[in-house]
Amino acid sequence: MPELPEVERAARKLRRAIRHRTIDRVRLLHPSLQRRVSSRVLRALRGARVCEVERRGKHQLVHLEDGRVVHVHFRMNGDWVIDTLSDPLPRFARATLEFREGTRVVLEDSRALSTFDVHPSIEWLPLALGPEPGDPGLTAPRLELTLSHRRVPIKIALLDQRVIAGLGNIYTSEGLWRAKIDPRASAASLTRPEISRLLTAIRAVIARATGGRYSRLEGSRLDVYDREGEPCRRCGTIIQRVRQSGRSTYFCPRCQLARPVAAVNRAPAKWRP
DNA sequence: GGTCGCCTGGTA
DNA sequence: TACCAGGCGACC
């Protein structure tokens, strides 16, 4: 469940469960996770106390009092299940963190694409994230500057966590629909008014998100994502799906007005302004 | 810049 | 049985 609102909700759940608690044991249950952390490093977590749980973009950081950091990224499907040692493990349990007080935190992830790492200190993980949608420092002029040298389609630029941290495939489609911008337009081609609209739209989309797991129920709250073949909620035109960098983008071909396409799909420019 | 691989499950 | 999937890093 991997975009910003979902990760924020998960991080809060984790924080409530483990802040100021002492780790008793951490187990990695899937080979892809076991490959990432040695059993020695894992064992050394025993007795460490959690001082804070922090979210940065879609990353979750568990800060330990001695400075070590447990870094978790859910990728496509991860979520936390908070239970106790006596509960049966969830079907897709990939890791467990057991605490002295009896609480157990389970990393549940059917696709097993989540990552789990332990770092000696926060300096060890340069995450290279841009501002988050809610960051007051993220203004239209600043976003314009960031996008001005990017020739990729705007949809692809928005997925780049260095541009805006926390956006994923669903909310980029939603934001572009709301701002009436063609997802195929070159990022650098967007005008200032378009960028202003886009920023407002992204903030609205994020604010509306519940942080709940993607489902039919959640899907019914979305305006374009996964609505190929259905009528646009603004103009009734049939929503289209295109592939961009191997991922589905949904948009309304009428109200997301066609704009000059990204440079990669266009004849080479003859001059540079 | 785009595509592939990681993994496994749900759905048409 | 095929295809699709909310991410991202490695690779061409």
Side-chain angles (χ1 to χ4, degrees), chain A residues 33 44 64 78 100 125 149 202 206 225:
Chain A
L33 290 185
L64 305 179
R100 289 204 179 145
L125 58 168
H149 55 94
I202 286 169
I206 294 292
Y225 183 83

Side-chain angles (χ1 to χ4, degrees), chain A residues 81-99:
Chain A
V81 173
I82 314 293
D83 60 9
T84 64
L85 280 174
S86 54
D87 291 310
L89 273 181
R91 182 176 170 199
F92 301 118
R94 304 304 184 197
T96 61
L97 296 90
E98 298 164 16
F99 292 83

